[in-house]
Amino acid sequence: MTTEQKITRYDGPAGGWRALASVKDTLLAQGIPVKGAKTLLSANQPGGFDCPGCAWPDRNHHSTFEFCENGAKAVAAEATARRATPEFFARHTVAELERQSDFWLEDQGRLTHPMRYDAASDRYLPVAWGEAFALVARHLNALADPDEAIFYTSGRTSNEAAFLYQLFVRQFGTNNFPDCSNMCHEASGAAMRAQVGTGKGTVTLADFERADAIFIFGQNPGTNHPRMLGELRAAHKRGARIVSFNPLRERGLERFADPQDKLQMATLGSSPISTHYLQLRVGGDLAAVTGIAKHVLEMHAQRGGVLHEDFIAEHTTGFEALAAQLAQTPWAQLEEASGLSQAQLRAAGDVYIGAERVIACWGMGITQHRHAVATIGAIVNLLLLRGNIGREGAGPCPVRGHSNVQGDRTMGIWEAPPPALLDRLQQLYGFEPPRQHGVNTVGAIRQMREGRCKVFFALGGNFAAATPDTAATWAGLRQCGLTVHVATKLNRSHVVHGREALILPCLGRTEIDVQAGGPQGVTVEDSMSMVHLSMGMNPPASPELLSEPAIVARLAAATLGERSSVPWSWLVQDYARIRDEIEKVFPDFADFNARVAVPGGFRLRNAASQRQWATASGRAQFSVHAVPAPGPQRHEGRVLFTLLSTRSHDQYNTTIYGLNDRYRGVQGQRQVVFIHPEDIAALGLAGGDRVDIHTVWDDGVQRSVHGFVLVPYDIPRGNLAAYYPETNPLVPLDSVAEGVGTPTSKSIPVVLTPHAPRP
């Protein structure tokens, strides 16, 4: 890993030899050059394991190289030779660990034993599994109200673990199920359920082979979903138009060298990706999509035949209201709000009109804004105008992050469960599930901060690092009577703990899971509703590790005792039994065990892809949203910037694999802020100078981060970008997407000041 701090220019493509070199370096750094290579060859294979990284689907289940650079980093981090043993914890107080970086904490390797926090020594000490479960059960059963407990879920959790988890927690008596969906694609689900009756995308990988145009909003696939670049490259090569909207110039949206293309690798060639690249201002997507839709209607009025009038008449409602709103919205307003010219918006509109089949993809560059639901609604509107939902090669495609975040929601990990799910649980298991909605992630932080959370239990994830308003989150966690984290590696959440705390180490996706019934596989659901089996192939990092389903089952048995008729221990002896229970609760999982045994698994039914609309009207619904005016440009005499948080190429979510960001030219550091060169000059500063960043908000709380290096970059003026979790302290807890509560981490109002060194 590069330790020298410098900023350079990267002129190569995404992927290519540098990606292969990065995989090699990662395996060497983790001490697993042979084991790691063998492990990667089993990634996303029949009889192998599902990549613990992103939720992009697998193209070829018989290809030897069905993984990407960042997937390789995720696998290497899990299969590492490094170990965080009880001896490691004996050498370090928690106060010492808290001073270390997020990268250093996770780089210590795999957790090997359950650990309990000892306040007297300020250290984690080994604890027996039975004692750990008894401790959690005592705390839970001592609560005055089940809602005093909060149960967080990571998107890495398997379907089997998630199903048992929601069953246990609802039988315990609460719907307090904050999860990572609350922080990423909650707006996608809310907007699409209202408009087309499903919160999931309607496309498959096969649709990418047939699309004439692909519109990409607020997404950087080169870092976040590298395997997606193969689909985009193939689409471009056969003539499809790819229109990308992104404030930053991202290399993965410009050029890609496919490591599986022998000729391209031998000739050092690369393939273009985007045919149109529109650098709109941060938060300008709603105005941009509205402008494209306005152009579509104007062209239809001029020459006819542009709208799919039969589809609109037969399948939709609300078109007249949308048409009226578009007609009344002036182009000047759309230009100002989007940061794009009318000519640019019309050019994108012409691509849309000229394509028979269109896919629209988006990521958290859309969902983590105040107007996220409205923006996704506008994207769905655009697709509906020309019948681009429910036919081959077309449809909405929210590209989700963690490998099973969509599956967790399918299994019932949701603070606002549908009544039909609760009715089914009552019918099958003989208890009355709680009907009151629980708290989402932001609500959980508020509850902890107010002292109303006594027990916080996290099934995976890194809550302390992933959440907004870091000071508020950490203060809330420290007020809990007990915090419990199921994890594979040490992370920030383990050193920001309650009065009592447990770390419960679990098996990783790459490891062999042996229960009483023999080796077990778990299932996951990708971004396109494909459900498939994952079987580990490495020996566990420690004989002390338990699987996530086993941890949930043992905790349920310890907590509920004779109050529960669910045979927890029996279910976890053979995960096929858990899948039988899933099948009973969710009709779409009929013949679950037989269907998932087929290589590649099966796709869950998506009614909207068949033009069956599970909405209140029974039709697809056009939505109407006014385009907000841009906010003020100055605050108390200073330039008011809009900051978006982003990942480096050496991280996945909150997991930091290294201190480099190859495609953006950053080496050996993370405290950087990307800014237009003219904005640097206007501040009277120079590239390389350090600044402090301060949030502008109206609640009287001072939110700042310090010592960030200015990096000149191709980004619209008035906009900034910097990495998270380093910038999470700047996100106000009350700054959320309207209607869903997702933190607005992609649109933070800030000012910059020259760095003032602190003690």
Side-chain angles (χ1 to χ4, degrees):
M1 182 190 71
T2 300
T3 55
E4 180 184 3
Q5 295 187 356
K6 61 181 180 179
I7 306 296
T8 61
R9 179 179 175 84
Y10 180 77
D11 292 321
W17 288 108
R18 294 287 294 274
L20 292 180
S22 175
V23 171
K24 178 201 71 174
D25 292 343
T26 298
L27 299 181
L28 289 172
Q30 297 299 332
I32 51 168
V34 176
K35 174 187 175 183
K38 291 180 178 179
T39 303
L40 287 172
L41 295 180
S42 294
N44 304 315
Q45 301 296 307
F49 64 91
D50 183 76
C51 177
C54 78
W56 188 255
D58 309 325
R59 162 60 64 183
N60 183 355
H61 289 273
H62 297 280
S63 168
T64 309
F65 298 98
E66 193 60 32
F67 60 87
C68 65
E69 177 185 352
N70 274 15
K73 293 174 183 175
V75 170
E78 183 172 291
T80 180
R82 300 175 183 177
R83 299 289 183 266
T85 64
E87 290 73 24
F88 164 82
F89 286 101
R91 293 194 300 269
H92 300 282
T93 66
V94 172
E96 292 168 352
L97 294 174
E98 188 180 352
R99 290 193 291 270
Q100 299 295 337
S101 69
D102 294 276
F103 169 66
W104 187 92
L105 291 174
E106 297 214 20
D107 202 43
Q108 301 314 300
R110 292 291 302 278
L111 297 162
T112 61
H113 291 70
M115 307 295 291
R116 178 178 180 177
Y117 178 66
D118 175 64
S121 64
D122 189 35
R123 284 177 167 82
Y124 275 102
L125 305 178
V127 62
W129 276 107
E131 185 180 342
F133 292 128
L135 174 64
V136 182
R138 284 199 302 273
H139 274 267
L140 290 175
N141 288 325
L143 298 177
D145 187 324
D147 286 336
E148 292 179 339
I150 291 173
F151 296 87
Y152 180 73
T153 319
S154 160
R156 193 203 65 176
T157 304
S158 68
N159 289 329
E160 289 75 11
F163 177 81
L164 292 182
Y165 194 45
Q166 64 84 30
L167 182 59
F168 155 55
V169 172
R170 291 198 165 101
Q171 191 160 5
F172 175 69
T174 184
N175 283 315
N176 280 349
F177 272 122
D179 73 329
C180 52
S181 288
N182 299 150
M183 293 183 284
C184 57
H185 273 282
E186 199 71 68
S188 301
M192 292 177 62
R193 281 192 301 272
Q195 290 187 251
V196 297
T198 178
K200 301 179 181 182
T202 66
V203 303
T204 67
L205 282 183
D207 289 312
F208 279 79
E209 299 174 355
R210 301 178 177 93
D212 303 310
I214 302 170
F215 282 63
I216 303 173
F217 300 94
Q219 188 191 358
N220 176 21
T223 289
N224 300 336
H225 307 88
R227 283 185 294 153
M228 181 180 178
L229 294 182
E231 305 301 329
L232 298 178
R233 171 179 177 264
H236 186 114
K237 289 181 71 173
R238 62 176 174 76
R241 300 296 186 93
I242 299 176
V243 186
S244 296
F245 295 82
N246 201 309
L248 294 162
R249 297 295 298 192
E250 300 287 19
R251 187 50 47 89
L253 291 171
E254 295 176 318
R255 287 185 290 134
F256 173 55
D258 190 346
Q260 296 190 45
D261 187 322
K262 296 181 177 63
L263 178 61
Q264 196 165 74
M265 295 294 284
T267 60
L268 302 181
S270 63
S271 302
I273 297 297
S274 299
T275 57
H276 300 68
Y277 203 124
L278 302 177
Q279 284 185 265
L280 74 179
R281 71 171 68 217
V282 172
D285 302 86
L286 175 55
V289 179
T290 302
I292 296 171
K294 180 179 178 70
H295 176 73
V296 170
L297 264 66
E298 290 182 353
M299 292 302 100
H300 181 77
Q302 289 182 22
R303 64 176 189 248
V306 174
L307 297 176
H308 195 320
E309 293 179 294
D310 291 344
F311 173 84
I312 292 172
E314 181 181 354
H315 289 283
T316 74
T317 184
F319 170 75
E320 292 78 9
L322 174 65
Q325 186 246 354
L326 292 175
Q328 295 167 7
T329 305
W331 278 106
Q333 179 185 352
L334 298 175
E335 289 181 302
E336 181 185 16
S338 68
L340 301 172
S341 69
Q342 182 180 159
Q344 288 175 303
L345 294 173
R346 287 191 182 276
D350 285 337
V351 173
Y352 181 72
I353 291 170
E356 184 67 21
R357 300 174 179 86
V358 178
I359 292 174
C361 305
W362 66 89
M364 285 189 287
I366 295 296
T367 63
Q368 291 183 332
H369 290 271
R370 179 183 173 189
H371 302 288
V373 174
T375 304
I376 296 162
I379 294 172
V380 174
N381 286 344
L382 185 63
L383 294 171
L384 291 174
L385 288 175
R386 287 178 50 79
N388 276 309
I389 301 181
R391 66 179 177 196
E392 289 185 343
C397 181
V399 183
R400 303 183 192 273
H402 223 322
S403 57
N404 198 41
V405 62
Q406 185 160 302
D408 284 353
R409 181 57 56 87
T410 300
M411 290 294 102
I413 300 296
W414 195 4
E415 78 280 358
L421 169 61
L422 302 181
D423 292 343
R424 191 66 175 152
L425 294 178
Q426 181 179 20
Q427 177 186 358
L428 288 171
Y429 300 106
F431 71 93
E432 175 58 49
R435 301 283 169 166
Q436 179 179 338
H437 287 181
V439 293
N440 62 12
T441 296
V442 168
I445 298 169
R446 291 194 184 111
Q447 184 168 326
M448 287 189 290
R449 186 178 60 178
E450 295 165 3
R452 295 186 293 112
C453 173
K454 310 300 183 185
V455 177
F456 178 82
F457 190 100
L459 189 60
N462 185 355
F463 192 85
T467 45
D469 214 338
T470 303
T473 299
W474 291 12
L477 285 167
R478 286 173 170 139
Q479 289 197 80
C480 295
L482 174 69
T483 53
V484 186
H485 295 276
V486 178
T488 59
K489 303 180 78 176
L490 184 66
N491 65 42
R492 180 63 55 191
S493 295
H494 307 152
V495 298
V496 182
H497 55 81
R499 290 185 292 278
E500 292 191 81
L502 289 167
I503 303 174
L504 306 182
C506 65
L507 293 171
R509 192 77 58 76
T510 63
E511 291 172 315
I512 300 169
D513 179 358
V514 179
Q515 302 297 333
Q520 303 296 314
V522 296
T523 60
V524 296
E525 178 187 345
D526 63 33
S527 273
M528 296 180 187
S529 302
M530 292 294 299
V531 179
H532 51 277
L533 198 64
S534 177
M535 297 283 294
M537 48 86 68
N538 288 333
S542 163
E544 290 288 322
L545 303 185
L546 295 181
S547 71
E548 286 185 330
I551 290 173
V552 173
R554 290 186 62 176
L555 177 60
T559 303
L560 301 175
E562 295 182 357
R563 287 179 287 164
S564 175
S565 62
V566 177
W568 301 102
S569 177
W570 180 81
L571 286 175
V572 85
Q573 290 174 10
D574 186 339
Y575 297 171
R577 296 169 180 172
I578 305 174
R579 291 189 281 274
D580 287 339
E581 297 300 307
I582 292 172
E583 178 181 334
K584 295 176 186 177
V585 175
F586 302 104
D588 286 348
F589 286 82
D591 298 321
F592 192 178
N593 280 304
R595 292 162 73 196
V596 83
V598 177
F602 63 95
R603 187 172 189 241
L604 293 173
R605 180 175 178 270
N606 188 300
S609 67
Q610 301 169 16
R611 293 188 172 175
Q612 298 172 12
W613 318 105
T615 61
S617 66
R619 290 171 170 248
Q621 175 71 52
F622 283 101
S623 60
V624 176
H625 305 279
V627 174
Q633 297 182 340
R634 301 191 73 83
H635 175 74
E636 297 181 350
R638 297 185 182 274
V639 176
L640 183 61
F641 290 94
T642 302
L643 171 70
L644 69 86
S645 67
T646 187
R647 298 174 182 168
S648 79
H649 193 61
D650 256 0
Q651 77 177 96
Y652 189 77
N653 293 340
T654 58
T655 301
I656 313 299
Y657 299 126
L659 302 181
N660 298 337
D661 190 354
R662 184 169 73 246
Y663 299 151
R664 298 185 183 121
V666 177
Q667 297 184 37
Q669 57 191 316
R670 289 184 53 82
Q671 286 194 225
V672 299
V673 56
F674 301 100
I675 179 172
H676 194 285
E678 293 179 14
D679 280 334
I680 297 178
L683 292 170
L685 300 171
D689 287 349
R690 291 188 177 271
V691 296
D692 299 334
I693 310 175
H694 313 275
T695 301
V696 175
W697 201 246
D698 59 4
D699 60 359
V701 177
Q702 299 296 317
R703 298 178 177 88
S704 303
V705 294
H706 303 270
F708 279 62
V709 175
L710 292 174
V711 177
Y713 207 77
D714 191 352
I715 185 173
R717 291 203 64 181
N719 294 163
L720 308 171
Y723 303 132
Y724 72 85
E726 288 82 357
T727 53
N728 284 355
L730 299 172
V731 186
L733 191 63
D734 295 327
S735 183
V736 297
E738 294 175 344
V740 291
T742 303
T744 58
S745 303
K746 296 292 185 287
S747 53
I748 313 165
V750 300
V751 296
L752 304 180
T753 60
H755 176 49
R758 299 181 302 159

